[in-house]
Amino acid sequence: MKIHEFQTKELLRSFDIPVPDGVMATTPETALQAAGGLGSWPVVVKAQIHAGGRGKGGGIKLAADAAAVREAASQLLSMTLVTPQTGPQGRKVNKILVEAGVSIARELYLCLMVDRAQAAITILASQAGGMDIEEVAATTPEKIIRVAVNPLLGLQPFHCRQVVFGLGLEADTGKACTALLNKLYTMFVACDCELLEINPLAITTSGAMVALDAKAEFDDNALFRHPHILVYRDSDEESPLEAEAARFGLNYINLSGNIGNMVNGAGLAMATMDIIKQAGAEPANFLDVGGGASAEMVENGLRIILGDPKVRGVLINIFGGILRCDILAEGVVQAARKIGITVPVVVRMEGTNVDEGRRILADSGLNLITAADLHDAAVKVAAMVQGEQQ
Ligand code: GDP
Ligand code: MN
């Protein structure tokens, strides 16, 4: 799960990590009030969306006085912000953060992330922090240092020294960086983060170290341990179909193709996506109803798939083990009747009571196409979608 910058900063504050004073606002009036309460100028008005690159898209505005705050706030709050990370459709801005302006001497980059390949919590750090870090990573990767921390060992002084020397920090700033790293690491583990990124980590003109921007992502499977983080969920920022799927306990990921894909079990989902691609088509999603799916879950799954306007054909590929094929077929038929299917649906099933299941599909009078096997199913659905496009 991702959360907003202002929420990440609340968490950072609770771990005693220095962040600028700031208040979240949803209207220009409350933004103005918030700015007044900060007691210093300039202030920074920042669009709160679950995507980075806001500075490049015009989502970060410096305001020198009250009039400028009002103008920045009303501009941002009526804006669909397009950044290098939002895609061309952009994101509607519903919340802004009004923050005390900081006078920046240097912008560093500091990030902790779960590194699966190393089985470690890896620290990434760079002197070249700020808005161009993606370009730095692409063109001069040697400017980014990586320090892998064995999670069983935890963060040790030598890890911190590697980061401090790598960043070229001296004396007091080096000490501040070590203290900061320890707090960030503590928070990362305590909150089950997958990513905790501070960019920029500013060194101010008075020599202090402040987290000017902050981004956190959490392991969904650990969120049950963190009710205080779970309340940060902002469903406005999540794809509506993914949010609906999550409510029903379905594993659903939206992809870019046009063949909807309902499968029971993640391994079967992978294999099904492979075979759709092999047949020359592209999956529109990954939807796993789970090994113990019920007819009701099949119905919810089908509704979510058909709710995606990209979908031009559906492939249902189910192995009837715990869920028997006749129950599945009933579920599909009922769902298709209720929702109304407007695109071809190819069903491939195998397993317990498969003959009965096929008979139910055939007798339904609906446009449900039965496939003999997985290959046949993929070829059929691909041909239908491609035939339609010609
Ligand atoms: P991002 O573009 O989404 O990563 O948004 P950031 O919060 O990182 O802001 C982008 C840039 O705005 C930073 O790299 C800073 O250069 C600048 N910025 C943000 N806050 C302040 C501030 O308080 N003072 C000044 N002078 N610049 C700021
Ligand atoms: Mn940033």
Side-chain angles (χ1 to χ4, degrees):
M1 184 178 85
K2 293 183 181 175
I3 63 174
H4 287 294
E5 175 193 6
F6 75 93
Q7 298 165 327
T8 308
K9 284 178 167 167
E10 276 177 23
L11 285 176
L12 289 169
R13 240 178 240 125
S14 73
F15 284 85
D16 196 29
I17 295 162
V19 296
D21 285 341
V23 180
M24 190 274 284
T26 53
T27 63
E29 289 67 41
T30 47
L32 210 57
Q33 251 173 26
L38 292 174
S40 67
W41 298 95
V43 301
V44 184
V45 186
K46 311 182 79 177
Q48 300 294 289
I49 54 169
H50 285 191
R54 295 163 304 165
K56 294 212 155 148
I60 309 287
K61 298 192 186 294
L62 210 64
D65 54 30
V69 170
R70 183 183 284 280
E71 179 168 349
S74 40
Q75 253 184 31
L76 290 176
L77 287 167
S78 58
M79 181 179 204
T80 299
L81 180 56
V82 179
T83 83
Q85 293 180 25
T86 57
Q89 76 286 0
R91 286 278 175 87
K92 172 102 187 53
V93 180
N94 298 316
K95 299 181 176 78
I96 52 178
L97 172 61
V98 183
E99 223 177 42
V102 169
S103 157
I104 306 171
R106 286 178 67 190
E107 297 194 3
L108 307 174
Y109 176 89
L110 188 59
C111 172
L112 272 65
M113 60 183 286
V114 172
D115 183 342
R116 290 173 203 283
Q118 298 275 335
I121 295 171
T122 289
I123 303 168
L124 300 175
S126 178
Q127 295 190 18
M131 293 198 284
D132 292 321
I133 192 68
E134 279 80 15
E135 201 184 317
V136 172
T139 56
T140 47
E142 69 281 1
K143 289 193 179 159
I144 297 177
I145 47 177
R146 302 176 73 101
V147 177
V149 180
N150 179 330
L152 299 179
L153 202 61
L155 185 71
Q156 299 294 320
F158 74 89
H159 295 126
C160 298
R161 281 196 291 277
Q162 281 177 35
V163 174
V164 167
F165 292 140
L167 290 174
L169 303 177
E170 284 159 10
D172 289 350
T173 328
K175 277 189 198 143
C177 181
T178 297
L180 182 87
L181 264 174
N182 276 284
K183 290 172 187 171
L184 285 173
Y185 188 88
T186 303
M187 170 172 157
F188 190 93
V189 174
C191 297
D192 290 307
C193 291
E194 284 183 342
L195 177 96
L196 182 55
E197 182 189 64
I198 312 295
N199 184 38
L201 170 62
I203 301 181
T204 68
T205 44
S206 51
M209 216 171 231
V210 184
L212 263 204
D213 183 17
K215 178 172 169 183
E217 290 178 25
F218 303 90
D219 180 348
D220 288 345
N221 295 316
L223 279 173
F224 73 97
R225 302 205 287 204
H226 308 291
H228 67 296
I229 296 174
L230 207 47
V231 296
Y232 285 148
R233 170 158 263 153
D234 184 347
S235 43
D236 287 349
E237 293 286 329
E238 294 173 0
S239 121
L241 291 176
E242 288 187 8
E244 192 185 347
R247 256 204 318 281
F248 293 119
L250 302 166
N251 292 308
Y252 171 80
I253 294 163
N254 206 326
L255 304 170
S256 57
N258 58 9
I259 297 188
N261 201 348
M262 186 164 67
V263 176
N264 61 342
L268 194 56
M270 299 286 207
T272 307
M273 291 199 297
D274 281 352
I275 208 145
I276 288 175
K277 277 181 171 275
Q278 212 169 44
E282 292 289 332
N285 60 52
F286 173 112
L287 191 145
D288 171 16
V289 292
S294 63
E296 193 192 351
M297 287 176 89
V298 169
E299 182 183 326
N300 288 328
L302 197 57
R303 196 178 54 246
I304 287 165
I305 289 178
L306 293 171
D308 177 353
K310 296 194 306 292
V311 169
R312 308 307 319 152
V314 178
L315 171 51
I316 299 178
N317 184 18
I318 301 272
F319 179 75
I322 301 170
L323 170 64
R324 294 180 348 231
C325 292
D326 54 327
I327 305 272
L328 165 75
E330 293 279 12
V332 171
V333 168
Q334 262 177 39
R337 288 219 167 98
K338 247 195 221 168
I339 307 161
I341 43 172
T342 46
V343 298
V345 177
V346 176
V347 185
R348 179 263 175 173
M349 56 189 174
E350 218 46 81
T352 315
N353 291 1
V354 65
D355 294 333
E356 176 66 4
R358 289 198 179 136
R359 193 190 55 74
I360 292 168
L361 294 181
D363 292 353
S364 72
L366 291 163
N367 187 18
L368 300 166
I369 301 121
T370 310
D373 57 34
L374 188 43
H375 176 73
D376 180 42
V379 169
K380 273 185 176 149
V381 73
M384 282 167 183
V385 169
Q386 280 149 5
E388 188 200 76
Q389 277 167 348
Q390 277 156 15

